[in-house]
Amino acid sequence: MSQRLPVHIEPVGAADRGRELHGQMPVSAFERLGHWLHSHEGELDVSLHFGRGASGRRTLRAEVEGDLELVCERCLSPFGLHLDLSVELTLVDSEAEAKTLPADAEPLVLSDTRSMHTTDMIEDDLILALPVVPRCERADCHAAVRVLDSEEAERDADTGRQRPFADLDPDA
C-alpha cells in the first residue's frame, strides 16, 4: 500500500529535527503542472529530506520520480515522460534573505504562517523539469499540420486553387 505525504508541512521544524518523509503524491495534486499535461492520472514517488547545509542554513532536498503524460508538440499525440528529479533548496524567511545566498543556492521563501502546502514546495521545480518543447521519440512522429511557404502558396494560386479570402482588404 502506498504511503501518502502530509498535505501541510512545517519546514523549519522539520529541518531542525532532520526529518525525512517518503511517499507518493497524485499527479492531480499539482494544479499548475496540470496545464502542461495530457493526463492527470498516476502518482509520483517523493522523498523530502530536511536538515541543515554546510553553511548551517536550513535546507530541503526533494527527490521526485515518476511518469507524466505530455502532448507531443509535433504530432499532437500523448507520450510518457519519465522524471527523475533531485533539487536542493535553502529555506529563507524573505526575498531579502534570498538575495544574500550564494549564486548557486536555490531559495525557498517561507510564508509567515511557517506551514507550507507540500505540493507548493516542489511544483515549480517539476514545471522547470519539463521540456521547453515536448516531443515524443517515436519513429513515425510527423507534423500534424502542414505549413505552406510562400512559394508553395504561389504555385497553389497558379494551379487555379480556390482562395476565397484572397480579395479581402488587409486594412479592414
Side-chain angles (χ1 to χ4, degrees), residues 3 19 27-28 35 37 44 58-59 79-80 88 94 97 100-101 104-105 113 115-116 129 131 140 151 153 167:
Q3 177 183 353
R19 191 167 180 199
V27 172
S28 60
H35 296 288
L37 302 179
L44 299 175
R58 293 178 181 98
T59 61
F79 73 99
E88 178 101 14
S94 66
E97 185 180 353
T100 67
L101 295 176
D104 62 340
T113 62
S115 177
M116 287 193 75
D140 63 341
E151 290 177 7
D167 295 328

Side-chain angles (χ1 to χ4, degrees), residues 83-103:
L83 278 184
D84 192 2
L85 176 68
S86 180
V87 64
E88 178 101 14
L89 304 170
T90 301
L91 307 177
V92 295
D93 292 323
S94 66
E95 291 290 336
E97 185 180 353
K99 291 177 183 178
T100 67
L101 295 176

Side-chain angles (χ1 to χ4, degrees), residues 22-81:
H22 307 279
Q24 285 74 37
M25 294 182 77
V27 172
S28 60
F30 300 98
E31 292 179 23
R32 290 181 299 123
L33 177 68
H35 296 288
W36 285 273
L37 302 179
H38 177 262
S39 170
H40 300 96
E41 300 297 316
E43 292 186 331
L44 299 175
D45 293 321
V46 179
S47 295
L48 302 174
H49 307 272
F50 294 90
R52 292 206 179 249
S55 66
R57 293 186 184 261
R58 293 178 181 98
T59 61
L60 163 61
R61 189 177 79 246
E63 297 170 355
V64 182
E65 185 177 3
D67 296 311
L68 300 175
E69 191 172 15
L70 304 175
V71 175
C72 175
E73 291 290 324
R74 182 168 170 79
C75 67
L76 303 179
S77 298
F79 73 99
L81 174 72

